[in-house]
Amino acid sequence: MENIITSKDNPVIKLYQKLSSSKKERLEYGLFVLEGLRITEDALREDSGISHLILTKQAAERFGDTLFQVDLRNTKTIVISNELGNKIASTGQTQGVFAICRIPACRKMTFKENGKYVVLYGLQDPGNVGMIIRTADALGMDGIIMSGSCDLYSPKVIRSTMGSVFRMNICIENDTEKLFDMLSQGGVTSCASVIDKDAEKITQCCFEGGQAVFIGNEGNGLPGEISQRCDRRITIPMQGNINSLNAAMAAGIMMWELARTK
Protein backbone atom coordinates (compact mmCIF):
# COMPACT_ATOMS: atom_id res chain seq x y z
CA MET A 1 0.00 0.00 0.00
CA GLU A 2 1.56 3.27 -1.14
CA ASN A 3 1.61 6.78 0.29
CA ILE A 4 0.85 5.93 3.89
CA ILE A 5 0.88 9.18 5.86
CA THR A 6 2.82 9.05 9.10
CA SER A 7 3.19 12.74 10.00
CA LYS A 8 0.77 14.66 12.24
CA ASP A 9 1.82 17.76 10.26
CA ASN A 10 0.00 16.54 7.14
CA PRO A 11 -2.53 19.30 6.19
CA VAL A 12 -5.54 16.97 6.29
CA ILE A 13 -4.53 15.54 9.66
CA LYS A 14 -3.94 19.02 11.08
CA LEU A 15 -7.38 20.08 9.82
CA TYR A 16 -9.01 17.00 11.34
CA GLN A 17 -7.49 17.75 14.73
CA LYS A 18 -8.57 21.40 14.60
CA LEU A 19 -12.14 20.43 13.78
CA SER A 20 -12.18 17.73 16.44
CA SER A 21 -11.16 20.08 19.24
CA SER A 22 -12.69 23.48 18.37
CA LYS A 23 -16.24 24.68 17.73
CA LYS A 24 -14.75 27.92 16.37
CA GLU A 25 -12.80 26.00 13.74
CA ARG A 26 -15.86 23.92 12.83
CA LEU A 27 -17.88 27.08 12.24
CA GLU A 28 -15.05 28.79 10.36
CA TYR A 29 -14.48 25.90 7.96
CA GLY A 30 -18.09 24.67 7.83
CA LEU A 31 -16.83 21.16 8.55
CA PHE A 32 -17.04 18.58 11.34
CA VAL A 33 -15.46 15.18 11.98
CA LEU A 34 -16.60 11.60 12.29
CA GLU A 35 -14.89 8.65 13.91
CA GLY A 36 -16.00 5.05 13.60
CA LEU A 37 -17.03 2.64 10.88
CA ARG A 38 -20.78 2.65 11.40
CA ILE A 39 -21.30 6.40 11.54
CA THR A 40 -19.03 6.90 8.53
CA GLU A 41 -20.99 4.29 6.60
CA ASP A 42 -24.23 6.07 7.58
CA ALA A 43 -22.85 9.39 6.34
CA LEU A 44 -21.77 7.85 3.04
CA ARG A 45 -25.11 6.07 2.66
CA GLU A 46 -27.04 9.30 3.28
CA ASP A 47 -24.73 11.24 0.93
CA SER A 48 -23.91 13.63 3.77
CA GLY A 49 -21.04 15.49 2.17
CA ILE A 50 -17.89 13.69 3.28
CA SER A 51 -14.94 15.63 1.88
CA HIS A 52 -12.18 13.40 3.27
CA LEU A 53 -12.16 9.75 4.25
CA ILE A 54 -9.20 8.88 6.49
CA LEU A 55 -8.31 5.24 7.12
CA THR A 56 -5.50 3.67 9.03
CA LYS A 57 -3.52 1.01 7.16
CA GLN A 58 -5.22 -1.66 9.24
CA ALA A 59 -8.71 -0.21 8.64
CA ALA A 60 -8.11 0.09 4.90
CA GLU A 61 -7.20 -3.58 4.75
CA ARG A 62 -10.11 -4.60 6.97
CA PHE A 63 -12.95 -2.31 5.84
CA GLY A 64 -11.78 -0.95 2.49
CA ASP A 65 -13.76 -3.41 0.36
CA THR A 66 -16.99 -2.18 1.97
CA LEU A 67 -16.24 1.54 2.06
CA PHE A 68 -14.74 1.74 -1.41
CA GLN A 69 -17.94 0.35 -2.94
CA VAL A 70 -19.64 3.68 -2.22
CA ASP A 71 -19.41 6.52 -4.74
CA LEU A 72 -16.37 8.46 -3.53
CA ARG A 73 -15.90 10.73 -6.54
CA ASN A 74 -16.30 13.84 -4.38
CA THR A 75 -14.32 12.42 -1.48
CA LYS A 76 -10.55 12.38 -1.08
CA THR A 77 -9.33 9.20 0.59
CA ILE A 78 -6.04 9.03 2.47
CA VAL A 79 -4.38 6.18 4.35
CA ILE A 80 -2.44 6.86 7.53
CA SER A 81 -0.27 4.74 9.78
CA ASN A 82 -1.91 2.85 12.60
CA GLU A 83 0.17 4.87 15.06
CA LEU A 84 -1.08 8.17 13.66
CA GLY A 85 -4.65 6.87 13.85
CA ASN A 86 -4.21 6.22 17.55
CA LYS A 87 -2.93 9.78 18.03
CA ILE A 88 -5.89 11.49 16.39
CA ALA A 89 -8.53 9.15 17.82
CA SER A 90 -10.90 10.42 20.50
CA THR A 91 -12.04 6.94 21.51
CA GLY A 92 -10.03 4.47 23.54
CA GLN A 93 -10.09 1.66 21.00
CA THR A 94 -10.38 3.26 17.59
CA GLN A 95 -11.50 1.35 14.52
CA GLY A 96 -9.19 3.53 12.45
CA VAL A 97 -12.00 5.04 10.36
CA PHE A 98 -12.24 8.84 10.32
CA ALA A 99 -13.91 11.40 8.09
CA ILE A 100 -14.29 15.13 7.54
CA CYS A 101 -17.85 16.08 6.70
CA ARG A 102 -19.50 19.29 5.49
CA ILE A 103 -21.91 21.02 7.85
CA PRO A 104 -25.21 21.25 5.94
CA ALA A 105 -26.68 24.62 5.08
CA CYS A 106 -28.92 26.06 7.80
CA ARG A 107 -32.01 23.91 7.82
CA LYS A 108 -35.49 25.32 8.24
CA MET A 109 -38.08 23.21 9.94
CA THR A 110 -41.01 22.18 7.78
CA PHE A 111 -43.95 21.40 10.01
CA LYS A 112 -46.28 18.55 9.13
CA GLU A 113 -49.94 18.21 9.94
CA ASN A 114 -50.13 16.34 13.25
CA GLY A 115 -46.31 16.45 13.42
CA LYS A 116 -44.45 15.67 16.64
CA TYR A 117 -41.32 17.64 17.58
CA VAL A 118 -38.79 18.09 20.37
CA VAL A 119 -37.22 21.41 21.36
CA LEU A 120 -33.89 21.13 23.18
CA TYR A 121 -33.73 24.38 25.14
CA GLY A 122 -30.43 25.06 26.87
CA LEU A 123 -29.13 21.47 26.99
CA GLN A 124 -25.37 21.41 27.51
CA ASP A 125 -24.44 17.76 27.87
CA PRO A 126 -23.37 16.34 24.47
CA GLY A 127 -24.20 12.79 25.51
CA ASN A 128 -27.76 13.78 26.42
CA VAL A 129 -28.26 15.68 23.18
CA GLY A 130 -26.95 12.80 21.09
CA MET A 131 -29.09 10.26 22.94
CA ILE A 132 -32.23 12.39 22.48
CA ILE A 133 -31.56 12.69 18.75
CA ARG A 134 -31.08 8.92 18.52
CA THR A 135 -34.28 8.25 20.48
CA ALA A 136 -36.24 10.74 18.37
CA ASP A 137 -35.13 8.85 15.28
CA ALA A 138 -36.16 5.52 16.80
CA LEU A 139 -39.60 6.82 17.84
CA GLY A 140 -40.35 8.57 14.55
CA MET A 141 -40.34 12.19 15.67
CA ASP A 142 -40.78 14.63 12.80
CA GLY A 143 -38.03 17.02 13.84
CA ILE A 144 -35.78 18.46 16.51
CA ILE A 145 -35.19 22.16 17.18
CA MET A 146 -32.09 23.12 19.15
CA SER A 147 -32.10 26.44 20.97
CA GLY A 148 -29.23 27.67 23.15
CA SER A 149 -27.89 24.13 23.43
CA CYS A 150 -24.42 22.65 22.97
CA ASP A 151 -22.76 22.33 19.58
CA LEU A 152 -24.65 19.83 17.44
CA TYR A 153 -21.46 19.04 15.53
CA SER A 154 -19.16 18.32 18.46
CA PRO A 155 -17.60 14.86 18.16
CA LYS A 156 -19.34 13.57 21.30
CA VAL A 157 -22.81 14.65 20.11
CA ILE A 158 -22.22 13.17 16.67
CA ARG A 159 -20.91 9.91 18.13
CA SER A 160 -23.82 9.64 20.58
CA THR A 161 -26.41 9.95 17.80
CA MET A 162 -25.17 6.68 16.28
CA GLY A 163 -25.87 8.06 12.79
CA SER A 164 -29.32 9.49 13.54
CA VAL A 165 -27.97 13.01 12.97
CA PHE A 166 -27.92 12.19 9.25
CA ARG A 167 -31.53 11.00 9.20
CA MET A 168 -33.33 13.42 11.51
CA ASN A 169 -34.74 16.80 10.50
CA ILE A 170 -32.78 19.09 12.85
CA CYS A 171 -32.71 22.87 12.89
CA ILE A 172 -31.04 25.41 15.14
CA GLU A 173 -32.90 28.53 16.28
CA ASN A 174 -31.26 30.38 19.14
CA ASP A 175 -33.59 33.38 19.01
CA THR A 176 -36.45 32.68 21.43
CA GLU A 177 -38.87 35.08 19.71
CA LYS A 178 -38.27 33.45 16.34
CA LEU A 179 -38.59 30.01 17.91
CA PHE A 180 -42.07 30.66 19.29
CA ASP A 181 -43.12 32.47 16.11
CA MET A 182 -41.98 29.46 14.08
CA LEU A 183 -44.06 27.07 16.17
CA SER A 184 -47.10 29.33 16.13
CA GLN A 185 -46.99 29.80 12.37
CA GLY A 186 -46.56 26.05 11.93
CA GLY A 187 -49.72 25.39 13.96
CA VAL A 188 -47.72 23.53 16.60
CA THR A 189 -48.71 23.51 20.28
CA SER A 190 -45.74 24.15 22.58
CA CYS A 191 -45.49 21.91 25.65
CA ALA A 192 -43.14 22.71 28.52
CA SER A 193 -41.73 19.67 30.29
CA VAL A 194 -41.65 20.67 33.96
CA ILE A 195 -41.45 19.27 37.49
CA ASP A 196 -44.72 20.53 38.92
CA LYS A 197 -47.50 18.51 40.51
CA ASP A 198 -50.04 21.02 39.16
CA ALA A 199 -48.99 20.51 35.52
CA GLU A 200 -50.79 18.07 33.20
CA LYS A 201 -49.69 14.50 33.89
CA ILE A 202 -48.05 12.97 30.84
CA THR A 203 -50.16 9.83 31.29
CA GLN A 204 -53.36 11.86 30.93
CA CYS A 205 -52.33 14.16 28.09
CA CYS A 206 -53.90 14.23 24.65
CA PHE A 207 -51.29 14.98 22.00
CA GLU A 208 -53.49 15.23 18.92
CA GLY A 209 -52.40 17.75 16.30
CA GLY A 210 -48.97 19.33 15.96
CA GLN A 211 -47.08 19.20 19.27
CA ALA A 212 -43.59 20.21 20.37
CA VAL A 213 -42.19 19.23 23.77
CA PHE A 214 -39.58 21.53 25.31
CA ILE A 215 -36.78 19.79 27.22
CA GLY A 216 -34.75 22.08 29.46
CA ASN A 217 -31.25 22.28 30.88
CA GLU A 218 -29.96 19.24 32.76
CA GLY A 219 -29.46 21.06 36.05
CA ASN A 220 -32.00 23.87 35.98
CA GLY A 221 -34.77 22.71 33.67
CA LEU A 222 -36.63 25.25 31.58
CA PRO A 223 -36.47 28.92 32.58
CA GLY A 224 -39.71 30.03 34.22
CA GLU A 225 -40.48 32.54 31.49
CA ILE A 226 -40.17 29.84 28.84
CA SER A 227 -42.38 27.30 30.60
CA GLN A 228 -44.99 30.01 31.22
CA ARG A 229 -44.88 31.07 27.60
CA CYS A 230 -45.57 27.57 26.31
CA ASP A 231 -49.18 26.67 25.49
CA ARG A 232 -49.26 23.89 28.05
CA ARG A 233 -47.15 22.51 30.90
CA ILE A 234 -46.73 18.76 31.26
CA THR A 235 -44.99 16.60 33.86
CA ILE A 236 -43.95 13.01 34.46
CA PRO A 237 -45.53 11.83 37.73
CA MET A 238 -42.95 10.23 40.03
CA GLN A 239 -43.11 8.26 43.24
CA GLY A 240 -40.78 7.90 46.20
CA ASN A 241 -37.94 10.32 46.91
CA ILE A 242 -37.01 11.00 43.27
CA ASN A 243 -38.25 14.31 41.90
CA SER A 244 -36.33 14.55 38.63
CA LEU A 245 -34.98 12.43 35.78
CA ASN A 246 -32.00 12.61 33.48
CA ALA A 247 -32.87 14.91 30.55
CA ALA A 248 -32.47 12.18 27.95
CA MET A 249 -34.62 9.78 29.97
CA ALA A 250 -37.35 12.38 30.47
CA ALA A 251 -37.25 13.25 26.77
CA GLY A 252 -37.57 9.57 25.88
CA ILE A 253 -40.72 9.20 27.99
CA MET A 254 -42.22 12.36 26.48
CA MET A 255 -41.43 11.23 22.93
CA TRP A 256 -42.92 7.79 23.59
CA GLU A 257 -46.21 9.42 24.56
CA LEU A 258 -46.07 11.74 21.53
CA ALA A 259 -45.46 8.77 19.25
CA ARG A 260 -48.57 6.99 20.57
CA THR A 261 -50.77 9.64 18.92
CA LYS A 262 -48.93 9.88 15.59
Side-chain angles (χ1 to χ4, degrees):
M1 191 174 294
E2 300 180 358
N3 300 323
I4 296 177
I5 294 167
T6 60
S7 173
K8 62 181 175 55
D9 293 324
N10 174 273
V12 176
I13 298 304
K14 289 176 72 174
L15 175 62
Y16 182 94
Q17 291 183 296
K18 285 181 181 179
L19 298 172
S20 180
S21 61
S22 171
K23 177 181 178 180
K24 179 181 177 182
E25 300 287 354
R26 290 192 287 271
L27 292 175
E28 181 176 330
Y29 286 97
L31 300 167
F32 66 102
V33 300
L34 309 175
E35 180 182 345
L37 176 64
R38 179 175 173 179
I39 196 166
T40 301
E41 286 181 320
D42 284 338
L44 289 168
R45 193 179 300 114
E46 299 292 334
D47 193 21
S48 297
I50 288 182
S51 64
H52 292 81
L53 178 63
I54 305 167
L55 304 173
T56 62
K57 179 177 181 293
Q58 186 177 45
E61 293 169 348
R62 184 177 179 186
F63 307 122
D65 288 346
T66 300
L67 293 171
F68 294 144
Q69 288 179 3
V70 183
D71 184 357
L72 296 174
R73 282 177 295 180
N74 297 317
T75 302
K76 181 176 181 180
T77 301
I78 66 171
V79 179
I80 64 177
S81 67
N82 298 331
E83 293 74 18
L84 185 55
N86 288 330
K87 288 180 181 178
I88 69 172
S90 58
T91 56
Q93 293 183 323
T94 182
Q95 294 176 298
V97 179
F98 311 88
I100 297 175
C101 198
R102 300 179 189 90
I103 292 176
C106 186
R107 309 174 188 173
K108 291 190 175 182
M109 187 62 64
T110 301
F111 294 105
K112 300 179 181 178
E113 184 177 358
N114 200 41
K116 302 296 184 278
Y117 306 89
V118 181
V119 178
L120 306 186
Y121 196 93
L123 266 73
Q124 296 304 314
D125 184 273
N128 277 336
V129 171
M131 177 62 73
I132 292 170
I133 292 171
R134 183 181 175 189
T135 306
D137 185 16
L139 294 178
M141 295 295 102
D142 295 297
I144 295 172
I145 303 170
M146 296 183 63
S147 186
S149 293
C150 64
D151 180 16
L152 173 60
Y153 297 104
S154 76
K156 189 170 182 181
V157 171
I158 295 297
R159 188 164 58 249
S160 297
T161 69
M162 296 291 287
S164 293
V165 69
F166 301 117
R167 294 183 289 272
M168 284 300 300
N169 185 15
I170 306 172
C171 84
I172 300 171
E173 182 49 78
N174 293 321
D175 186 306
T176 300
E177 294 300 321
K178 291 181 180 178
L179 169 62
F180 278 97
D181 285 346
M182 179 196 317
L183 295 172
S184 178
Q185 291 173 15
V188 176
T189 298
S190 54
C191 310
S193 175
V194 297
I195 300 171
D196 185 344
K197 61 181 178 60
D198 294 324
E200 293 181 73
K201 291 180 173 57
I202 186 72
T203 51
Q204 299 172 3
C205 287
C206 174
F207 288 119
E208 292 183 0
Q211 302 278 337
V213 170
F214 279 59
I215 304 296
N217 177 269
E218 292 86 352
N220 302 313
L222 288 172
E225 64 271 20
I226 298 301
S227 63
Q228 292 297 331
R229 187 165 179 177
C230 287
D231 298 314
R232 59 197 300 197
R233 300 166 78 249
I234 57 179
T235 193
I236 299 170
M238 291 177 235
Q239 299 180 17
N241 296 321
I242 299 298
N243 64 0
S244 66
L245 294 172
N246 167 272
M249 176 64 74
I253 294 171
M254 296 288 182
M255 289 188 283
W256 174 264
E257 292 297 329
L258 287 175
R260 281 157 49 89
T261 55
K262 277 181 67 67

Short mmCIF file of all heavy atoms in Angstrom, two decimals, residues 72-107:
data_model
loop_
_atom_site.label_atom_id
_atom_site.label_comp_id
_atom_site.label_asym_id
_atom_site.label_seq_id
_atom_site.Cartn_x
_atom_site.Cartn_y
_atom_site.Cartn_z
N LEU A 72 -17.28 7.55 -4.23
CA LEU A 72 -16.37 8.46 -3.53
C LEU A 72 -15.75 9.49 -4.49
O LEU A 72 -14.68 10.02 -4.22
CB LEU A 72 -15.25 7.65 -2.86
CG LEU A 72 -15.67 6.68 -1.76
CD1 LEU A 72 -14.49 5.84 -1.29
CD2 LEU A 72 -16.28 7.43 -0.58
N ARG A 73 -16.46 9.81 -5.56
CA ARG A 73 -15.90 10.73 -6.54
C ARG A 73 -15.65 12.12 -5.95
O ARG A 73 -14.72 12.81 -6.36
CB ARG A 73 -16.85 10.87 -7.75
CG ARG A 73 -16.76 9.70 -8.71
CD ARG A 73 -17.75 9.83 -9.82
NE ARG A 73 -19.15 9.76 -9.33
CZ ARG A 73 -20.21 9.86 -10.13
NH1 ARG A 73 -20.07 10.05 -11.43
NH2 ARG A 73 -21.42 9.76 -9.61
N ASN A 74 -16.47 12.52 -4.99
CA ASN A 74 -16.30 13.84 -4.38
C ASN A 74 -15.60 13.77 -3.02
O ASN A 74 -15.64 14.72 -2.25
CB ASN A 74 -17.66 14.52 -4.21
CG ASN A 74 -18.35 14.77 -5.55
OD1 ASN A 74 -17.71 15.20 -6.50
ND2 ASN A 74 -19.63 14.47 -5.63
N THR A 75 -14.99 12.64 -2.76
CA THR A 75 -14.32 12.42 -1.48
C THR A 75 -12.87 12.04 -1.71
O THR A 75 -12.57 11.16 -2.51
CB THR A 75 -15.02 11.29 -0.69
OG1 THR A 75 -16.39 11.62 -0.49
CG2 THR A 75 -14.35 11.07 0.65
N LYS A 76 -11.96 12.73 -1.00
CA LYS A 76 -10.55 12.38 -1.08
C LYS A 76 -10.25 11.36 0.01
O LYS A 76 -10.57 11.59 1.19
CB LYS A 76 -9.68 13.62 -0.88
CG LYS A 76 -8.19 13.33 -0.98
CD LYS A 76 -7.35 14.59 -0.87
CE LYS A 76 -5.87 14.27 -0.99
NZ LYS A 76 -5.02 15.48 -0.89
N THR A 77 -9.65 10.24 -0.36
CA THR A 77 -9.33 9.20 0.59
C THR A 77 -7.83 9.17 0.84
O THR A 77 -7.03 9.19 -0.09
CB THR A 77 -9.78 7.82 0.06
OG1 THR A 77 -11.19 7.85 -0.17
CG2 THR A 77 -9.46 6.73 1.07
N ILE A 78 -7.45 9.17 2.12
CA ILE A 78 -6.04 9.03 2.47
C ILE A 78 -5.88 7.90 3.47
O ILE A 78 -6.80 7.58 4.22
CB ILE A 78 -5.45 10.34 3.04
CG1 ILE A 78 -6.08 10.70 4.39
CG2 ILE A 78 -5.61 11.49 2.07
CD1 ILE A 78 -5.38 11.85 5.09
N VAL A 79 -4.70 7.26 3.43
CA VAL A 79 -4.38 6.18 4.35
C VAL A 79 -3.25 6.64 5.26
O VAL A 79 -2.26 7.21 4.79
CB VAL A 79 -3.98 4.90 3.59
CG1 VAL A 79 -3.61 3.78 4.57
CG2 VAL A 79 -5.11 4.45 2.67
N ILE A 80 -3.43 6.43 6.55
CA ILE A 80 -2.44 6.86 7.53
C ILE A 80 -1.92 5.65 8.30
O ILE A 80 -2.52 4.57 8.27
CB ILE A 80 -3.02 7.90 8.51
CG1 ILE A 80 -4.16 7.30 9.35
CG2 ILE A 80 -3.53 9.13 7.75
CD1 ILE A 80 -4.74 8.24 10.40
N SER A 81 -0.82 5.85 8.98
CA SER A 81 -0.27 4.74 9.78
C SER A 81 -1.18 4.44 10.96
O SER A 81 -1.94 5.30 11.42
CB SER A 81 1.13 5.10 10.27
OG SER A 81 1.07 6.16 11.21
N ASN A 82 -1.11 3.22 11.44
CA ASN A 82 -1.91 2.85 12.60
C ASN A 82 -1.55 3.70 13.81
O ASN A 82 -2.43 4.07 14.61
CB ASN A 82 -1.70 1.37 12.92
CG ASN A 82 -2.14 0.45 11.80
OD1 ASN A 82 -3.05 0.79 11.03
ND2 ASN A 82 -1.49 -0.69 11.67
N GLU A 83 -0.28 4.05 13.94
CA GLU A 83 0.17 4.87 15.06
C GLU A 83 -0.44 6.26 15.00
O GLU A 83 -0.87 6.82 16.02
CB GLU A 83 1.70 4.96 15.07
CG GLU A 83 2.43 3.66 15.36
CD GLU A 83 2.43 2.68 14.19
OE1 GLU A 83 2.15 3.11 13.04
OE2 GLU A 83 2.68 1.48 14.42
N LEU A 84 -0.49 6.84 13.81
CA LEU A 84 -1.08 8.17 13.66
C LEU A 84 -2.58 8.12 13.93
O LEU A 84 -3.15 9.05 14.52
CB LEU A 84 -0.81 8.71 12.25
CG LEU A 84 -1.27 10.15 11.97
CD1 LEU A 84 -0.68 11.12 12.97
CD2 LEU A 84 -0.89 10.56 10.54
N GLY A 85 -3.22 7.05 13.55
CA GLY A 85 -4.65 6.87 13.85
C GLY A 85 -4.91 6.88 15.34
O GLY A 85 -5.89 7.49 15.80
N ASN A 86 -4.04 6.23 16.10
CA ASN A 86 -4.21 6.22 17.55
C ASN A 86 -4.03 7.61 18.14
O ASN A 86 -4.67 7.96 19.15
CB ASN A 86 -3.20 5.26 18.19
CG ASN A 86 -3.55 3.80 17.93
OD1 ASN A 86 -4.72 3.45 17.80
ND2 ASN A 86 -2.54 2.95 17.85
N LYS A 87 -3.18 8.42 17.52
CA LYS A 87 -2.93 9.78 18.03
C LYS A 87 -4.10 10.71 17.80
O LYS A 87 -4.38 11.59 18.63
CB LYS A 87 -1.66 10.36 17.37
CG LYS A 87 -0.37 9.72 17.86
CD LYS A 87 0.84 10.34 17.17
CE LYS A 87 2.13 9.67 17.65
NZ LYS A 87 3.33 10.23 16.95
N ILE A 88 -4.79 10.56 16.68
CA ILE A 88 -5.89 11.49 16.39
C ILE A 88 -7.24 10.98 16.89
O ILE A 88 -8.23 11.70 16.87
CB ILE A 88 -5.99 11.80 14.87
CG1 ILE A 88 -6.45 10.57 14.08
CG2 ILE A 88 -4.67 12.34 14.34
CD1 ILE A 88 -6.76 10.87 12.62
N ALA A 89 -7.26 9.75 17.37
CA ALA A 89 -8.53 9.15 17.82
C ALA A 89 -9.00 9.81 19.12
O ALA A 89 -8.21 10.21 19.96
CB ALA A 89 -8.36 7.66 18.03
N SER A 90 -10.32 9.90 19.26
CA SER A 90 -10.90 10.42 20.50
C SER A 90 -11.57 9.31 21.30
O SER A 90 -12.13 9.56 22.36
CB SER A 90 -11.93 11.52 20.19
OG SER A 90 -12.95 11.03 19.36
N THR A 91 -11.51 8.09 20.79
CA THR A 91 -12.04 6.94 21.51
C THR A 91 -10.88 6.05 21.94
O THR A 91 -9.82 6.04 21.31
CB THR A 91 -13.02 6.13 20.64
OG1 THR A 91 -12.36 5.74 19.43
CG2 THR A 91 -14.23 6.95 20.30
N GLY A 92 -11.10 5.29 22.99
CA GLY A 92 -10.03 4.47 23.54
C GLY A 92 -9.54 3.39 22.60
O GLY A 92 -8.34 3.18 22.46
N GLN A 93 -10.45 2.71 21.93
CA GLN A 93 -10.09 1.66 21.00
C GLN A 93 -10.65 2.02 19.64
O GLN A 93 -11.77 1.63 19.28
CB GLN A 93 -10.62 0.30 21.48
CG GLN A 93 -9.96 -0.18 22.77
CD GLN A 93 -10.45 -1.55 23.18
OE1 GLN A 93 -11.62 -1.88 23.03
NE2 GLN A 93 -9.54 -2.37 23.72
N THR A 94 -9.89 2.76 18.87
CA THR A 94 -10.38 3.26 17.59
C THR A 94 -10.44 2.15 16.54
O THR A 94 -9.63 1.22 16.56
CB THR A 94 -9.49 4.41 17.08
OG1 THR A 94 -10.02 4.89 15.85
CG2 THR A 94 -8.04 3.96 16.87
N GLN A 95 -11.41 2.27 15.65
CA GLN A 95 -11.50 1.35 14.52
C GLN A 95 -10.63 1.82 13.35
O GLN A 95 -10.50 1.13 12.36
CB GLN A 95 -12.96 1.24 14.04
CG GLN A 95 -13.89 0.60 15.04
CD GLN A 95 -15.33 0.62 14.56
OE1 GLN A 95 -15.92 1.67 14.36
NE2 GLN A 95 -15.90 -0.57 14.37
N GLY A 96 -10.08 3.02 13.49
CA GLY A 96 -9.19 3.53 12.45
C GLY A 96 -9.92 4.11 11.26
O GLY A 96 -9.34 4.28 10.18
N VAL A 97 -11.19 4.46 11.43
CA VAL A 97 -12.00 5.04 10.36
C VAL A 97 -12.40 6.45 10.79
O VAL A 97 -13.07 6.63 11.81
CB VAL A 97 -13.26 4.20 10.07
CG1 VAL A 97 -14.09 4.85 8.95
CG2 VAL A 97 -12.88 2.78 9.69
N PHE A 98 -11.97 7.45 10.01
CA PHE A 98 -12.24 8.84 10.32
C PHE A 98 -12.76 9.54 9.06
O PHE A 98 -12.52 9.07 7.94
CB PHE A 98 -10.97 9.56 10.79
CG PHE A 98 -10.20 8.83 11.85
CD1 PHE A 98 -9.24 7.89 11.53
CD2 PHE A 98 -10.44 9.08 13.19
CE1 PHE A 98 -8.53 7.21 12.51
CE2 PHE A 98 -9.74 8.42 14.19
CZ PHE A 98 -8.78 7.48 13.85
N ALA A 99 -13.44 10.66 9.25
CA ALA A 99 -13.91 11.40 8.09
C ALA A 99 -14.08 12.87 8.44
O ALA A 99 -14.28 13.23 9.61
CB ALA A 99 -15.24 10.84 7.57
N ILE A 100 -13.96 13.70 7.43
CA ILE A 100 -14.29 15.13 7.54
C ILE A 100 -15.54 15.35 6.71
O ILE A 100 -15.60 14.94 5.55
CB ILE A 100 -13.13 16.01 7.05
CG1 ILE A 100 -11.89 15.80 7.93
CG2 ILE A 100 -13.53 17.48 7.05
CD1 ILE A 100 -10.66 16.54 7.44
N CYS A 101 -16.53 15.98 7.31
CA CYS A 101 -17.85 16.08 6.70
C CYS A 101 -18.30 17.54 6.66
O CYS A 101 -18.00 18.31 7.57
CB CYS A 101 -18.83 15.26 7.54
SG CYS A 101 -20.38 14.83 6.74
N ARG A 102 -19.01 17.92 5.63
CA ARG A 102 -19.50 19.29 5.49
C ARG A 102 -20.73 19.52 6.37
O ARG A 102 -21.65 18.71 6.36
CB ARG A 102 -19.85 19.60 4.03
CG ARG A 102 -18.67 19.47 3.08
CD ARG A 102 -19.07 19.75 1.63
NE ARG A 102 -17.98 19.42 0.71
CZ ARG A 102 -17.80 18.23 0.16
NH1 ARG A 102 -18.66 17.26 0.40
NH2 ARG A 102 -16.77 18.01 -0.65
N ILE A 103 -20.72 20.64 7.09
CA ILE A 103 -21.91 21.02 7.85
C ILE A 103 -22.98 21.45 6.85
O ILE A 103 -22.72 22.28 5.98
CB ILE A 103 -21.60 22.18 8.81
CG1 ILE A 103 -20.65 21.70 9.92
CG2 ILE A 103 -22.89 22.74 9.43
CD1 ILE A 103 -20.21 22.79 10.87
N PRO A 104 -24.17 20.88 6.91
CA PRO A 104 -25.21 21.25 5.94
C PRO A 104 -25.65 22.70 6.10
O PRO A 104 -25.51 23.28 7.18
CB PRO A 104 -26.36 20.28 6.25
CG PRO A 104 -26.11 19.83 7.65
CD PRO A 104 -24.64 19.86 7.86
N ALA A 105 -26.15 23.25 5.02
CA ALA A 105 -26.68 24.62 5.08
C ALA A 105 -27.77 24.69 6.12
O ALA A 105 -28.44 23.69 6.43
CB ALA A 105 -27.24 25.02 3.71
N CYS A 106 -27.94 25.88 6.72
CA CYS A 106 -28.92 26.06 7.80
C CYS A 106 -30.28 25.51 7.39
O CYS A 106 -30.85 25.93 6.38
CB CYS A 106 -29.02 27.55 8.14
SG CYS A 106 -30.08 27.86 9.56
N ARG A 107 -30.75 24.55 8.15
CA ARG A 107 -32.01 23.91 7.82
C ARG A 107 -33.17 24.67 8.43
O ARG A 107 -33.09 25.14 9.55
CB ARG A 107 -32.02 22.48 8.35
CG ARG A 107 -30.83 21.64 7.97
CD ARG A 107 -30.91 20.29 8.67
NE ARG A 107 -29.70 19.52 8.50
CZ ARG A 107 -29.46 18.37 9.11
NH1 ARG A 107 -30.36 17.88 9.95
NH2 ARG A 107 -28.34 17.71 8.93
#
